[in-house]
Amino acid sequence: MRTYALAGNPNTGKTSLFNTLTRSYEYVGNWSGVTVEKKVGTLLNKIDRLVDLPGIYSLNPLSRDEGVAANFLLTESPDAVLNVIDSSQIERNLYLTLQLLEYRKPLVIGLNMIDVAKSRGIRIHTDKLSQILQVPVIPIVARTGKGTDAILEQLTGMPTSIETPFQLDYGPIVEQAVVACASYLDNLQLELPDTRWLSLQLFENNTAVKESLARMMPMEPLEQLYRQTEDAIVQSGAGLHLPQYLRSVRVAYIQQLCEQCVDRGKQKEHSLTERIDALVTHKILGLPIFLLFMFLLFKLTFDWFGQPVSDMLDAFFSGPLSDGVNQALTALGASPFTHALIVDGIIAGVGGVLVFVPQIFMLFLMISFIEDSGYMARVTLVMDKIMEMVGLNGKAFIPFIIGFGCNVPAIMSARAIEQPKERLVTTLLTPLMSCSARLPVYSLFVGVFFVSHKAIVVFSLYLLGIVLALLLAKLFTSIFYTSEKSMFVIEIPPYRLPQVRSLIRNTWEKGKGFIRKAGTFILGGSVLIWFLSYAGPSGFGVEMDHSFLAKIGGLFAPILAPIGFGTWQAGASLLTGFMAKEVVVSTMNIIYHAPDMAGLESQIQMAFTPLQAYSFMAFILLYVPCLATVGVIKKETTSTRWTLFSIGYALVLAYIVALIIYQGGQWLGFS
Amino acid sequence: MKTNTIALSHAQPGCIACIHSISDLDSLVCRRLLDLGITVGSEIRMKRKSLFGGPLTLESNGQLFGIRKQEAAKIEVQIR
Ligand SMILES: Nc1nc2c(ncn2[C@@H]2O[C@H](COP(=O)(O)OP(=O)(O)OP(=O)(O)O)[C@@H](O)[C@H]2O)c(=O)[nH]1
Ligand SMILES: [Mg+2]
């Protein structure tokens, strides 16, 4: 078994290629920084492994996701590297290629996006490029799979070592120093990657390399060599400092290479991209267009598509399915306990959440569209000014948007933010984005209380989340930051019309998590809640008001009274909502003992007033990140303190906001 | 020489400029621009500005990118 690593600049189609070569469905999107962890897959030959890595511009990492890729190459020593290049940006991409060639592992170059290059009038002489660099160069279109067979063939037929390693001449001063450095490293007799490559990376001031070497050896001799070499370079007038000099040698080589291998012909502009951008990043219209787009998203999810289909599903669950199960259970002679467990517990709890599948898939479809079209990078541009005012940068909006789907991948995506403190604040605030799991709660309540304004009410909750995140960002950044400077440089990809196939796939990949949750957390939660509602201090089958659930929920009722829902039912559902926020709806289904959605709606209508309902929804939005989100916050911050903080501030915030809504609303005369 | 250079932030949309100096630029921003292949001598075209001093959209070598106006103010360019 051999291991191959995918490496290349961000957004060049590495994951698209990975998916075709391993038949996986990893996350693809049209912006830089989609992949933030390494992903391992088995190649189509069923023997070898392929590793997908985050995109990098050079081997010297700046952000955390880049660190993952650089460290992989440094420590894990793959058998060969598959370098994916965006052909329409070949010159810039070749910079990394040179560093990978110096890495001296067998290399295959996949010239991706050949279709884009062609449409822009760029022609690349692959044979010549391959001949000069002495590695196979294969033109491909990763998103359609064109040319990927050839890649597979090349990779698997690769020799394990290279005969004539690529070597760039950096001039006498550096070459001498490299020899000295390499022999110093060789003499240590450690398991290291190619020492010429390591030396060059050291001279480039590669932080990942330095850190990893510092763990194994004293760095003083190497630092001294670095200073000597730099002095010599500066004195000779060849460069301002050593890294810059090395870069200039490489860039000169690439320029010469491109002159031989790339025909630019007449480069055409992206006329479509130009026209769309003129509108969506318009000075004045940019922000309103973004808000309109979000509003349409909710219209589609709630009014036009999701709700009607959900209603149909609900009719099926509560009608034919329940009846069928009821009859079957009676026919089988099931005990009243089993009967109640299945019908009142599982079907009510899990079914009550599954009816929202259409809405959630619609939402994910829209988010996938934003991700794959290229709009994401534009949103960061439109939002940057506002984000800057609160101490973050436009890139923090990427986790926020992904967070509308699910907070877990959203928090992961914050890895692409360069400044550690900005990343921390973004991580802490992302749970305020209203994810799809809150959607069933909204859907249930707006369906009862705000029938004629569904989309606008839900939209207001999403906005509430964003606005609070911005206000808190201001607060947090002014407390935590001392000196760190905010920065923002964003690469803006050309628009790409998402393929229907990949949209559906992306949507499914996101949505299936919801269905899986229904089978695990929600099922488990429903059974537990049903049991607690069925059992009480006086035995089984008690009146629900005397059940354990009522006792537990009742503990919270007095605290919740000032914010509008001081009932044991609300207390109990909030408690269970920590597992996964959909469980709130399952719990209500079970507690209110509703045979179907209509039944639940009428029950809820009696239990809440519209103002209380709104306060409840806002509380659900804010009160604590779900269990999975807490897990990922812990993983990303590697700090128990911050994890607890994220729970604590959310609880306090939720209470204050709900209090303002309820008391303020009453004062204004709403009910 | 100094006389015919201006700050990139003052360039008008549509105009093409050649980077003359980036010595005042924050090192992280500088590094990210280098990653995109942009450094002294690169040709860039101003595409769009935004209101209230928001980020600028620029293009270099067919690659679109955005940077903040404050940053662009520290990039000296010569207008073609
Ligand atoms: N036109 C065209 N688009 C492509 C091609 N390959 C990939 N894409 C698109 O390019 C975008 C980026 O693809 P990804 O596979 O996510 O790129 P990546 O290199 O994994 O990106 P990061 O993980 O951010 O580094 C997606 O929108 C793809 O659909 C191609 O050959 N032609
Ligand atoms: Mg990727």
Side-chain angles (χ1 to χ4, degrees):
Chain A
M1 186 192 74
R2 297 204 282 175
T3 307
Y4 310 113
L6 269 164
N9 284 16
N11 208 29
T12 51
K14 295 178 295 302
T15 306
S16 306
L17 183 59
F18 176 85
N19 285 346
T20 355
L21 290 181
T22 62
R23 271 218 194 94
S24 346
Y25 304 103
E26 288 304 335
Y27 198 3
V28 168
N30 189 14
W31 80 90
S32 300
V34 180
T35 308
V36 291
E37 301 176 282
K38 76 168 193 197
K39 298 274 174 177
V40 185
T42 308
L43 274 183
L44 288 179
N45 72 4
K46 300 215 167 56
I47 306 167
D48 300 327
R49 297 191 314 161
L50 186 65
V51 181
D52 186 19
L53 293 171
I56 42 177
Y57 296 100
S58 74
L59 293 176
N60 186 5
L62 207 58
S63 51
R64 167 118 184 242
D65 56 333
E66 293 176 327
V68 170
N71 278 317
F72 179 86
L73 293 175
L74 198 58
T75 53
E76 309 225 355
S77 186
D79 294 296
V81 178
L82 173 50
N83 178 210
V84 180
I85 285 183
D86 174 353
S87 311
S88 65
Q89 285 295 333
I90 182 163
E91 208 161 324
R92 161 163 70 91
N93 281 250
L94 280 172
Y95 190 77
L96 178 68
T97 307
L98 289 192
Q99 292 184 315
L100 292 173
L101 284 165
E102 285 170 346
Y103 182 57
R104 292 193 175 170
K105 290 278 176 184
L107 188 81
V108 178
I109 295 180
L111 274 187
N112 195 25
M113 309 221 184
I114 279 290
D115 53 334
V116 183
K118 205 175 275 169
S119 75
R120 293 179 53 195
I122 301 169
R123 267 199 55 211
I124 299 168
H125 304 287
T126 39
D127 294 341
K128 202 167 215 172
L129 192 61
S130 161
Q131 192 193 337
I132 298 176
L133 297 179
Q134 295 280 307
V135 291
V137 177
I138 301 159
I140 53 173
V141 181
R143 79 191 297 197
T144 61
K146 207 173 119 194
T148 49
D149 294 342
I151 292 261
L152 194 64
E153 210 172 292
Q154 276 294 347
L155 264 188
T156 46
M158 220 44 186
T160 41
S161 64
I162 15 180
E163 294 147 35
T164 45
F166 173 88
Q167 186 156 335
L168 201 59
D169 184 0
Y170 289 93
I173 302 174
V174 172
E175 287 298 335
Q176 246 173 28
V178 166
V179 170
C181 183
S183 65
Y184 173 81
L185 292 172
D186 283 334
N187 284 339
L188 293 172
Q189 309 262 335
L190 295 166
E191 280 273 326
L192 291 173
D194 186 84
T195 46
R196 178 182 164 85
W197 173 76
L198 273 180
S199 312
L200 284 167
Q201 289 301 319
L202 272 175
F203 290 161
E204 258 195 292
N205 222 348
N206 184 326
T207 42
V209 168
K210 277 206 297 201
E211 271 167 33
S212 114
L213 290 187
R215 263 176 258 134
M216 295 186 270
M217 62 188 75
M219 291 301 278
E220 186 39 41
L222 296 174
E223 275 162 18
Q224 202 182 341
L225 189 60
Y226 181 97
R227 283 192 298 270
Q228 276 170 6
T229 320
E230 181 158 89
D231 287 347
I233 286 291
V234 173
Q235 256 165 31
S236 74
L240 295 173
H241 49 77
L242 198 46
Q244 185 257 341
Y245 171 73
L246 293 184
R247 180 177 275 271
S248 69
V249 175
R250 289 192 189 130
V251 168
Y253 179 80
I254 292 170
Q255 257 168 10
Q256 184 211 344
L257 189 64
C258 287
E259 264 162 34
Q260 294 177 61
C261 305
V262 184
D263 268 349
R264 299 209 176 267
K266 42 176 191 329
Q267 278 213 30
K268 284 175 227 148
E269 296 268 334
H270 292 278
S271 53
L272 182 65
T273 290
E274 298 268 307
R275 258 176 282 154
I276 301 177
D277 272 348
L279 194 64
V280 304
T281 61
H282 187 274
K283 273 184 181 190
I284 301 162
L285 296 178
L287 193 58
I289 287 177
F290 171 64
L291 291 175
L292 186 74
F293 194 83
M294 297 301 293
F295 184 68
L296 279 180
L297 194 156
F298 300 120
K299 262 315 221 200
L300 253 176
T301 318
F302 288 89
D303 279 0
W304 296 335
F305 173 81
Q307 191 82 48
V309 181
S310 284
D311 288 346
M312 275 156 44
L313 210 58
D314 180 43
F316 169 74
F317 280 135
S318 54
L321 186 69
S322 290
D323 293 349
V325 172
N326 260 327
Q327 279 164 9
L329 287 171
T330 317
L332 288 171
S335 69
F337 179 86
T338 323
H339 203 124
L341 169 67
I342 292 178
V343 177
D344 302 339
I346 296 177
I347 294 186
V350 179
V353 171
L354 277 182
V355 298
F356 296 102
V357 161
Q359 294 179 15
I360 283 171
F361 273 69
M362 191 67 219
L363 182 75
F364 280 135
L365 181 69
M366 302 289 282
I367 293 177
S368 296
F369 183 83
I370 298 181
E371 289 174 348
D372 218 15
S373 60
Y375 188 44
M376 197 68 113
R378 274 78 186 179
V379 174
T380 68
L381 207 60
V382 169
M383 296 307 296
D384 181 63
K385 190 69 208 175
I386 297 177
M387 298 303 265
E388 188 190 353
M389 289 194 281
V390 300
L392 295 177
N393 78 67
K395 277 189 194 172
F397 227 80
I398 295 178
F400 286 5
I401 291 185
I402 298 175
F404 291 152
C406 176
N407 293 167
V408 174
I411 286 173
M412 298 289 298
S413 74
R415 286 186 175 189
I417 294 170
E418 289 92 353
Q419 302 282 42
K421 291 221 177 104
E422 278 181 50
R423 188 162 78 87
L424 174 67
V425 173
T426 309
T427 302
L428 293 174
L429 294 176
T430 300
L432 298 182
M433 295 306 119
S434 187
C435 68
S436 61
R438 277 100 150 176
L439 199 145
V441 184
Y442 303 157
S443 213
L444 175 65
F445 280 80
V446 295
V448 178
F449 297 104
F450 308 101
V451 183
S452 47
H453 307 288
K454 280 183 201 148
I456 194 94
V457 168
V458 176
F459 188 52
S460 74
L461 286 161
Y462 278 74
L463 277 186
L464 179 70
I466 297 181
V467 170
L468 288 172
L470 293 180
L471 292 177
L472 284 182
K474 182 77 198 161
L475 182 71
F476 290 173
T477 51
S478 50
I479 298 173
F480 309 152
Y481 287 17
T482 41
S483 58
E484 199 176 87
K485 259 194 71 192
S486 167
M487 72 164 277
F488 177 66
V489 176
I490 184 102
E491 195 181 331
I492 307 172
Y495 286 103
R496 303 205 164 96
L497 190 66
Q499 291 169 299
V500 176
R501 192 176 54 127
S502 71
L503 270 187
I504 292 175
R505 211 183 250 174
N506 273 345
T507 308
W508 169 246
E509 284 303 308
K510 296 188 181 106
K512 80 175 183 199
F514 177 75
I515 295 179
R516 195 185 298 129
K517 243 194 304 186
T520 53
F521 275 122
I522 300 174
L523 177 67
S526 298
V527 170
L528 181 74
I529 291 152
W530 171 80
F531 182 76
L532 287 175
S533 73
Y534 186 79
S538 56
F540 290 131
V542 295
E543 271 294 304
M544 203 170 309
D545 283 336
H546 303 296
S547 67
F548 284 125
L549 192 63
K551 293 266 175 299
I552 301 169
L555 293 178
F556 297 95
I559 315 171
L560 298 174
I563 56 177
F565 35 91
T567 58
W568 70 260
Q569 287 92 338
S573 22
L574 288 174
L575 199 63
T576 55
F578 176 57
M579 281 194 283
K581 299 216 172 177
E582 301 93 329
V583 182
V584 172
V585 171
S586 304
T587 311
M588 295 203 142
N589 263 298
I590 296 169
I591 290 177
Y592 291 112
H593 211 72
D596 59 8
M597 197 68 126
L600 180 60
E601 285 177 356
S602 69
Q603 289 273 1
I604 284 185
Q605 196 146 27
M606 285 189 281
F608 289 85
T609 68
L611 183 63
Q612 288 168 341
Y614 195 81
S615 169
F616 187 73
M617 286 192 289
F619 194 83
I620 292 282
L621 162 67
L622 305 169
Y623 80 116
V624 272
C626 71
L627 210 56
T629 307
V630 170
V632 73
I633 292 177
K634 176 84 209 284
K635 180 169 154 231
E636 291 299 290
T637 58
T638 58
S639 146
T640 312
R641 239 184 62 217
W642 284 122
T643 312
L644 290 176
F645 177 77
S646 75
I647 301 175
Y649 94 78
L651 263 177
V652 174
L653 179 72
Y655 198 84
I656 295 175
V657 170
L659 191 70
I660 294 175
I661 291 176
Y662 186 60
Q663 300 294 344
Q666 275 187 326
W667 186 71
L668 289 173
F670 292 104
S671 67
Chain B
M1 200 62 189
K2 197 87 187 165
T3 47
N4 53 8
T5 67
I6 59 167
L8 177 59
S9 51
H10 290 307
Q12 289 308 307
C15 85
I16 298 178
C18 181
I19 299 190
H20 181 69
S21 153
I22 46 172
S23 48
D24 295 337
L25 204 56
D26 177 69
S27 63
L28 278 181
V29 177
C30 214
R31 178 44 220 288
R32 271 288 178 246
L33 289 179
L34 267 181
D35 285 342
L36 299 177
I38 298 153
T39 182
V40 174
S42 305
E43 218 171 63
I44 41 184
R45 186 211 292 255
M46 172 69 73
K47 293 299 251 189
R48 214 181 317 281
K49 296 185 168 185
S50 31
L51 285 186
F52 313 118
L56 312 174
T57 313
L58 302 153
E59 186 218 286
S60 172
N61 254 320
Q63 169 70 58
L64 286 170
F65 63 100
I67 60 172
R68 284 185 175 157
K69 194 174 173 193
Q70 306 90 289
E71 256 37 277
K74 296 179 196 155
I75 301 178
E76 270 179 50
V77 296
Q78 276 173 308
I79 302 291
R80 285 283 153 88

